[in-house]
Amino acid sequence: MIQGKFPRSATAALLALVMALLFVLPPTASAAAYGDLEVAIPPGEDVALDDTGASGNTFSFDVVSNISGYYPFSFSLQISPYTGVSDISTTNRAVVTRYADDYYLVTLPENSASTVTITSKGGYAYVLNCSAPNGGTSTGAGAYAYLPAAGQFVNEGMDSGGWGDVYTSTGGLKHNNTVGVSLGFFGGYYVYDFGSNITNSDTNPYGADFIVYGNAFWGNSEPGCIQVAQDDGRGNPGTWYNIASSLYYSSSTTKNASVTYTNPTPGDDSSSTASTLANVPYTGTVSGTITTNSYHNHSWVPLKRNYFAPRTINSAACPAMNRLSSLPSFGSYTAGSGSTGAALTLNGVLLSNVSTSNTAGMFYGLCDVHPNSTLGGTAAYNPYAVSGQASSTWSSFVSSGGVGGTAASGGDPIDISWAVDSSGNPVYLNSIRYVRIYTGAAQMNGVFGEISTEVCGVAACTGTGSGASSATTTIQAGCNLRHLNTVTTTNMGTASVPLGGYSTAAVKVTSDADHIYINGSSVTSGSNVSYTLTSGVTQYVQVITQKGNESPYITLLKISN
């Protein structure tokens, strides 16, 4: 069964309901004639379904915009019952992700029309024709949002653009500035807006699409996790996707972590000077205490006066940059009242057991890990070639672009093709506009205070590589090395590997690529990795191969017992 449009007014909604019932149960046909699924655009979306006819067991519909001159990059789709769905396929790299019960998110490619086909277990097909997204506004590139978690540089220089603040001493927003923006403890974030879409390009060297710059030096890396989002068509971020770094699929990484910081001295909540120094408790996915030091003798929690209200720097009006009201997936803030201190909750991917000195163990997909060469430069080195590099060879590695190519800019190159949904499934995005960088660790660093990511800049990559991957790769999986079967995989795709009750799994990758990674660890061709499976829990195994200055081949195995 197919439901039609849902206008927004109450009267129109009632009329739509009547029309939908007439459509589902027309006088000349039974409900069964329309298949065994109910497909609908939920109320509040900017698009609706228009019936364009049927042929046998196939029903066709246009997804039409309710707003002139605008077509969204994503919209919600309801398919009921979801247990009756056999398959969902798309064209032109549109993506359909189920996010709750019978609700799905449809993400569309930027430059072309696409089709979503839903096939029911009863053999009915529902074809939804979608237009290419368009419309909306564009603003200049620069900082879009900023909110630190608790940390030593929080509340410093609020009237003068202090070190670590997002504002300069004249009230402008920092970008490509060696005096970086400090993000504090886990979850503190900085969002960069490119001002327009940047393309996920196979022709960029190594597939790298942009570079993030921190203030790391070799042996002092404070890893920041990264998310990306497309323009929703109206100049705002759409759905946020995680960049799967080399640490993302580690068993010690928590995918959907949440940490709450509580102000231990409520009287400071309305203060602008923040003079009280006290350890900061945090609870949630992990719990503990941020231990202060006398070098930063003030409150270490973001105060309402400084981060949740406008302020003035040298006569310049500086609006609050947290944007939590429009970025609810990042967290929430509750102001203090009486003897109760303010509470700030921040969300993200949590990296455990990281060390600031472990530069060599954090390969790709993070910020503030590898040293800069040219701040704001656009030439990427090969992020897959960093395995095995040491402090003594880093300079020559960057100057040769990692493989004897053009001198690179350092920092950390990022490939949009590393994007995954909240469960870790690959998501192809042909472009993005927004980048969120946030502290990925919830750890102290001795006398140096908390591990806190710093951001100095973001830049889109330039240059021309050899294009899509030409590497020949064979991936085998089984219950052990003597029982391996070749798995059919696709670039940016997933493959299910059921093992029929076995408690162990082995994965072997053979390739003529220059670089091979299994779940973020660099391996040689013919290497294998074993996993102990937990009953009922799917083991995700990401395989990346990369050759020359080509884009990588990325695929994901879902192994179950």
Side-chain angles (χ1 to χ4, degrees), residues 206 320 365 419 456:
Y206 326 114
C456 293

Side-chain angles (χ1 to χ4, degrees), residues 109 125 189 194 202 281 356 386 404 499 534:
Y189 59 83
F194 278 103
D202 284 343
T356 58
V386 298
L499 294 185
T534 301

Side-chain angles (χ1 to χ4, degrees), residues 153-448:
F153 294 106
V154 173
N155 300 310
E156 285 193 358
M158 291 294 98
D159 299 323
S160 58
W163 193 98
D165 190 20
V166 73
Y167 287 109
T168 68
S169 60
T170 58
L173 290 169
K174 289 179 183 174
H175 184 59
N176 289 336
N177 193 318
T178 54
V179 182
V181 179
S182 184
L183 306 185
F185 213 66
F186 170 75
Y189 59 83
Y190 169 92
V191 178
Y192 182 74
D193 176 4
F194 278 103
S196 58
N197 295 321
I198 67 164
T199 302
N200 182 1
S201 176
D202 284 343
T203 62
N204 285 344
Y206 326 114
D209 301 301
F210 62 93
I211 304 172
V212 290
Y213 293 95
N215 68 346
F217 53 89
W218 197 272
N220 188 70
S221 300
E222 299 179 283
C225 293
I226 298 170
Q227 291 182 304
V228 293
Q230 295 180 311
D231 189 329
D232 68 354
R234 289 171 288 182
N236 301 304
T239 303
W240 288 94
Y241 298 97
N242 296 315
I243 290 295
S245 72
S246 59
L247 301 181
Y248 180 83
Y249 290 101
S250 167
S251 59
S252 62
T253 294
T254 304
K255 303 298 188 297
N256 298 292
S258 181
V259 172
T260 298
Y261 307 92
T262 303
N263 191 344
T265 54
D268 273 349
D269 283 349
S270 60
S271 170
S272 60
T273 55
S275 60
T276 305
L277 179 65
N279 295 338
V280 182
Y282 60 90
T283 57
T285 302
V286 290
S287 301
T289 301
I290 301 174
T291 306
T292 58
N293 59 55
S294 59
Y295 300 107
H296 302 275
N297 191 16
H298 53 72
S299 174
W300 282 30
V301 296
L303 300 180
K304 181 178 180 180
R305 171 73 179 271
N306 294 332
Y307 297 97
F308 300 93
R311 52 188 166 105
T312 301
I313 296 179
N314 290 330
S315 301
C318 299
M321 291 288 291
N322 68 84
R323 290 187 183 260
L324 273 179
S325 60
S326 60
L327 300 170
S329 65
F330 291 4
S332 61
Y333 173 77
T334 302
S337 176
S339 60
T340 302
L344 172 63
T345 298
L346 294 172
N347 306 324
V349 173
L350 176 62
L351 311 174
S352 298
N353 304 318
V354 300
S355 166
T356 58
S357 62
N358 191 24
T359 299
M362 295 178 280
F363 301 135
Y364 58 83
L366 300 163
C367 180
D368 201 16
V369 169
H370 295 101
N372 303 332
S373 176
T374 305
L375 180 59
T378 61
Y381 60 80
N382 188 345
Y384 305 102
V386 298
S387 176
Q389 293 300 316
S391 174
S392 59
T393 60
W394 181 252
S395 223
S396 59
F397 171 81
V398 171
S399 65
S400 68
V403 290
T406 305
S409 305
D412 291 282
I414 305 297
D415 187 346
I416 297 171
S417 292
W418 295 334
V420 298
D421 64 19
S422 59
S423 298
N425 299 300
V427 175
Y428 179 81
L429 304 173
N430 61 3
S431 66
I432 58 100
R433 173 171 166 175
Y434 301 92
V435 178
R436 177 199 181 195
I437 302 169
Y438 61 95
T439 299
Q443 294 175 222
M444 296 301 293
N445 189 27
V447 296
F448 298 103

Side-chain angles (χ1 to χ4, degrees), residues 475 489-495 541-544 553-557:
I475 301 173
T489 63
T490 57
N491 196 4
M492 294 302 298
T494 64
V541 180
Q542 181 202 56
V543 176
I544 299 179
Y553 181 94
I554 304 173
T555 195
L556 182 74
L557 308 184

